[in-house]
Amino acid sequence: MPEGERLTPDPAAALPATTARPGRVLALLLLIVVGTVNYVDRQILSVLAEPIRQDLGLSDTQLGLLTGLSFALFYGVMGVPAAMLADRHHRVRLVAAACLLWSAFTGACAFAGSFLHLALARFGVGIGEAGGTAPSLSILADYYPPRYRPAVIGLFTANGPLGVFVGASFGGWMAGQYGWRAAFLAVAAIGVVAALLLVLFVREPPRGGLDPASAAGPSRPMPLGPTLRVFMSRPALRWLLFASGVAAFVSTGMLSWIPAFLMRVQGMPLAEVARWFGPAAGLCFGIGIAGGGALVNWASRRSLRAYGWVPGLAMLLTGPTLALALLAPDWRTSLALMTVPMICSTIYVAPALALVQNLSPVAARATVTALVLLAFNIVGQGGGPLAVGMLSDGLAGRGAADPLRIAMIALAPVAALSALAYFALARVVLRDAEAAARDGL
């Protein structure tokens, strides 16, 4: 192996022989359950976009705001203070309380009578969910040593595809049987149960105990200012922020509009969306997220450049395969072809979150994760669905045929931009990892 490709010494080598945390499998499973509820509450609005649009008389721009910015703005902004709390206080209780909060606001969506009412409820969902992902990742980083984190985080972030599957299949079925309002109430009740199980059965792990002594850094929580300086001092983290934000723009833009595209443009009935799209999307996103984590976990043992090359190549494939699926003549062909971009567009998730954990100080791990999630959500969740909706409305106003199809095809060049940014990350990640090891993170 060329000298420039060789990894820094395996951090796990400096750990005690026994690194298992009691209850770590149960902790992982219950955090996956809570994370799945998190994604169900996000995805269900996209699945029910068409019946909600017809019932409340909404435009595509308003739907883009509801599925994107109205949620992501509060989710992203509140994620940083929530993560700072997680770096200072009991993380398991914080995640459980956040799950109760977002579930309550998800239930409030069932009583919305206008765009404003639904937007206010989505604000609340975003605020609650801000306390979910970053603290959960911090908990898992203290249950599993560094060498296992890409794979473990890949399993944890599979809550996204599970949430897509449950949201599309269960939410679509509930809406078809009892109406869209009943679907919101049902998933809210599931969230309450998940929060109670988490706080009852998961213990708070000691911080930094599975990291090498040189990497543990200061034991006291870092203020936001020094945390930002550490973040900005790493070119790999800066490139990761941009590349992952743009990748999230593509993936959430796709995910938020695929059900509406299949129903409105391709004529797919709501019952068929629940029957076919839910399982297909859940399986594809599961393969993409968990597979991306496992692939980088394997490839990074040879070179840390895998953290950039693997998601970069995946995003390079996303654009043309998405365009091909959108140009298919019917919903069956379109959905079958859509499986490729749905897999490729989510491969970046686990490697990005794992790299953040391994390059961040233990004392600020949740906060640094929240900064990356800020890009995921403001640029990605907030921008992607809204941009597609606004472009669709603009094209419709000019009399374009199938404006939603054209608006979604416009995501293809954005995916190429993300790929270029990941390739740039691959050029600097080894140097940053070595610098982090020398500086003790």
Side-chain angles (χ1 to χ4, degrees):
M1 183 186 304
E3 184 64 28
E5 293 286 324
R6 191 169 298 279
L7 285 175
T8 54
D10 186 354
L15 297 178
T18 302
T19 60
R21 291 280 188 215
R24 65 178 180 172
V25 174
L26 180 60
L28 175 60
L29 291 175
L30 286 177
L31 286 170
I32 289 173
V33 170
V34 171
T36 299
V37 174
N38 182 312
Y39 270 90
V40 169
D41 290 355
R42 299 186 205 184
Q43 176 63 15
I44 192 169
L45 185 59
S46 298
V47 173
L48 304 179
E50 279 301 291
I52 292 173
R53 181 179 70 89
Q54 295 168 12
D55 190 8
L56 301 183
L58 306 180
S59 68
D60 279 354
T61 299
Q62 288 176 317
L63 283 174
L65 284 167
L66 289 171
T67 57
L69 192 60
S70 68
F71 166 84
L73 182 63
F74 285 85
Y75 179 88
V77 171
M78 294 302 296
V80 175
M84 292 179 70
L85 282 175
D87 282 329
R88 290 159 174 78
H89 300 291
H90 198 288
R91 293 164 291 180
V92 173
R93 292 173 190 163
L94 175 63
V95 174
C99 185
L100 286 174
L101 182 62
W102 81 61
S103 297
F105 278 103
T106 296
C109 292
F111 303 98
S114 67
F115 167 76
L116 178 60
H117 294 161
L118 198 51
L120 290 173
R122 294 297 290 174
F123 294 161
V125 173
I127 292 171
E129 292 193 3
T133 302
S136 295
L137 289 168
S138 178
I139 294 168
L140 289 175
D142 286 325
Y143 268 109
Y144 291 88
R147 65 181 299 176
Y148 297 119
R149 286 175 191 161
V152 168
I153 291 173
L155 290 173
F156 169 74
T157 49
N159 59 39
L162 285 172
V164 170
F165 168 69
V166 175
S169 299
F170 177 71
W173 177 81
M174 281 290 297
Q177 296 293 317
Y178 306 104
W180 63 267
R181 298 179 188 275
F184 279 108
L185 290 174
V187 298
I190 294 172
V192 172
V193 174
L196 294 176
L197 291 175
L198 182 71
V199 79
L200 286 174
F201 294 108
V202 175
R203 291 166 37 181
E204 178 77 2
R207 297 176 191 266
L210 298 183
D211 291 271
S214 62
S219 58
R220 296 178 61 186
M222 291 176 63
L224 182 59
T227 300
L228 287 170
R229 286 194 292 273
V230 169
F231 187 94
M232 297 308 296
S233 71
R234 309 280 186 216
L237 290 178
R238 297 199 302 268
W239 277 115
L240 182 70
L241 190 72
F242 178 78
S244 299
V246 177
F249 183 98
V250 175
S251 62
T252 57
M254 284 174 48
L255 180 60
S256 296
W257 285 103
I258 287 173
F261 167 78
L262 292 173
M263 284 187 275
R264 187 189 313 174
V265 179
Q266 302 287 52
M268 188 177 188
L270 177 60
E272 297 301 306
V273 171
R275 183 177 303 163
W276 295 108
F277 171 72
L283 179 62
C284 289
F285 284 116
I287 292 172
I289 293 176
L295 182 58
V296 170
N297 199 69
W298 170 78
S300 64
R301 294 174 185 172
R302 295 183 57 84
S303 173
L304 288 183
R305 289 187 173 92
Y307 280 94
W309 278 105
V310 170
L313 291 172
M315 292 308 297
L316 199 61
L317 287 172
T318 297
T321 55
L322 172 62
L324 186 64
L326 292 169
L327 294 171
D330 57 76
W331 70 259
R332 293 173 180 83
T333 308
S334 187
L335 181 58
L337 293 173
M338 198 74 74
T339 56
V340 177
M342 285 195 294
I343 291 172
C344 290
S345 68
T346 51
I347 282 176
Y348 76 95
V349 176
L353 295 176
L355 185 61
V356 171
Q357 301 303 306
N358 289 341
L359 292 183
S360 302
V362 170
R365 187 172 275 154
T367 304
V368 175
T369 303
L371 292 172
V372 174
L373 291 175
L374 185 65
F376 273 33
N377 290 285
I378 298 298
V379 178
Q381 179 80 28
L386 178 59
V388 172
M390 292 179 66
L391 184 56
S392 176
D393 278 343
L395 291 168
R398 292 177 173 84
D402 294 336
L404 182 57
R405 189 200 306 264
I406 300 171
M408 293 184 69
I409 289 176
L411 292 170
V414 184
L417 177 63
S418 175
L420 292 175
Y422 271 114
F423 296 150
L425 183 154
R427 295 172 60 89
V428 299
V429 66
L430 182 63
R431 184 178 61 200
D432 276 10
E434 290 172 342
R438 286 195 308 269
D439 299 341
L441 288 178

